[in-house]
Amino acid sequence: MKGLILVLCFLFTACLDSGETLKIGVTPNYSPFEFKNQQGEIDGFDIEFVKELAKRLNLKIKWVSDYDFNGLIPALLDRKIDVIASSLSITPDRLELIAFTEPYYFSKTTYLKRKDNTNLSNKTDLVGKKVGVRKGSLQEQELKKNSKITIISLEEVEKLFKKLNQGKIDALVVDNSIVMEQVGLYQNIVAFYYENDGSDGYGLGLRKNDKSLLARLNAELINMQKDETLQKLIDKYNLP
C-alpha cells in the first residue's frame, strides 16, 4: 500500500516533505532578478525570494541553470526541474502548459534608444528598424506581430544594451525592472516610450498537477506580502 501511495504521489503531485529538496530552474543572465555575482554564485531578487520561501517551508534548494530561458518550461514538464524562478511572466499561453503561483512582482515594458536618435518617439516608429529583445520574452512575442520590424533576440540582455550603445540596433524593448541598472552604465541610452507588458505579473512556474506544492508556496508568498518581507526585497534591489 505504501508503494502505491508513493507512485500516485509521483504521478499527481510534488509530495515534498519538510527538509526535502526542490530543483529550481533559473537562467542567471537577467540582472537584477537572476545573475552570477563576483563569486560565481547565482544571486538576485528572484534568488533571495525563493530562498526565503524555501526557508519558511523548510525545503532545501538545488539550483539548475543548465537551460536557456526557452528551455525552462520543457525542462519543467520533463521533470528535470520542479519550479521555474526566472522572471517568468504569467500569460494565457503559458497557463495552458503550466501552473503559476500568485504574482510576486509586476513590471512594464520600456522602449529605449540612443540620445542622438531623433527618429524614435513612439512604438510605431519602429517600423523598418532593428530592435533588440530578450529571447523568449513577452517583448519578443509582441514585436513578432509586426513583420516590418527586424528583431534581434539574444539570451543576455547585457549584450543587447552594448549593441544599442554601439549603434548596431536602433532600439531595445525590455522589461522596465532591468532598465535602471543597465542605463546607469550607458549615459547615451534613454527611454522614449512605456506600456504595460500585457502579463499578469511574474510568478513561479510549476507543473499543473503539483497542487500541494503550489498551495504551500502561495500561502508563504502571501505571508511574505503581509509581513512586508517581499517589499523589503523589492526595495533592496531598487525595483520600480
Side-chain angles (χ1 to χ4, degrees):
M1 177 62 71
K2 182 177 180 181
L4 177 60
I5 292 174
L6 289 174
V7 171
L8 291 174
C9 184
F10 175 79
L11 290 175
F12 295 107
T13 184
C15 297
L16 291 166
D17 294 326
S18 177
E20 292 195 30
T21 300
L22 271 181
K23 292 179 290 185
I24 309 293
V26 58
T27 305
N29 59 13
Y30 201 61
S31 180
F33 286 91
E34 47 271 345
F35 59 91
K36 288 191 176 180
N37 59 28
Q38 293 180 345
Q39 289 74 41
E41 301 167 336
I42 296 176
D43 204 350
F45 172 80
D46 281 350
I47 308 308
E48 290 201 46
F49 166 62
V50 172
K51 282 181 177 179
E52 180 63 24
L53 278 178
K55 177 182 176 182
R56 293 178 182 220
L57 292 170
N58 195 26
L59 293 171
K60 298 177 182 178
I61 295 174
K62 179 182 179 181
W63 299 107
V64 180
S65 57
D66 302 333
Y67 306 97
D68 62 23
F69 188 73
N70 282 340
L72 289 173
I73 290 179
L76 177 69
L77 297 177
D78 288 342
R79 293 185 172 273
K80 302 291 179 59
I81 56 177
D82 300 310
V83 176
I84 299 173
S86 204
S87 305
L88 193 65
S89 297
I90 304 169
T91 67
D93 288 345
R94 288 171 179 163
L95 283 168
E96 290 183 5
L97 298 172
I98 64 174
F100 281 91
T101 62
E102 293 295 317
Y104 61 87
Y105 183 75
F106 292 88
S107 185
K108 291 188 176 184
T109 293
T110 301
Y111 291 69
L112 302 166
K113 66 175 184 178
R114 295 184 308 281
K115 284 182 179 179
D116 58 1
N117 188 340
T118 59
N119 297 318
L120 298 178
S121 60
N122 195 289
K123 62 185 290 186
T124 56
D125 297 328
L126 296 179
V127 172
K129 303 295 191 298
K130 291 182 179 180
V131 182
V133 291
R134 187 193 190 195
K135 189 174 183 180
S137 66
L138 287 181
Q139 290 77 22
E140 181 185 35
Q141 295 175 24
E142 184 64 25
L143 288 183
K144 279 184 175 179
K145 296 176 182 178
N146 191 330
S147 61
K148 296 180 180 180
I149 296 175
T150 301
I151 300 173
I152 308 298
S153 59
L154 297 174
E155 277 283 339
E156 298 181 27
V157 176
E158 292 84 359
K159 291 183 178 179
L160 290 169
F161 272 88
K162 288 180 180 178
K163 283 184 176 293
L164 179 59
N165 190 57
Q166 295 167 354
K168 294 181 179 180
I169 56 177
D170 300 298
L172 178 55
V173 182
V174 292
D175 192 307
N176 186 53
S177 55
I178 67 169
V179 169
M180 186 177 299
E181 177 177 320
Q182 291 296 323
V183 168
L185 302 176
Y186 301 102
Q187 301 302 316
N188 190 42
I189 295 177
V190 295
F192 68 92
Y193 188 75
Y194 301 91
E195 66 181 359
N196 291 328
D197 67 7
S199 79
D200 291 323
Y202 289 171
L204 301 179
L206 296 84
R207 288 179 290 274
K208 287 187 175 183
N209 56 9
D210 288 346
K211 295 180 181 179
S212 174
L213 177 59
L214 178 63
R216 294 166 67 193
L217 290 172
N218 274 331
E220 287 306 326
L221 194 163
I222 291 171
N223 286 336
M224 287 178 66
Q225 291 172 330
K226 288 181 178 179
D227 64 22
E228 298 188 351
T229 301
L230 186 56
Q231 185 59 50
K232 289 176 182 176
L233 272 180
I234 291 173
D235 294 341
K236 176 180 177 179
Y237 283 91
N238 295 315
L239 297 175

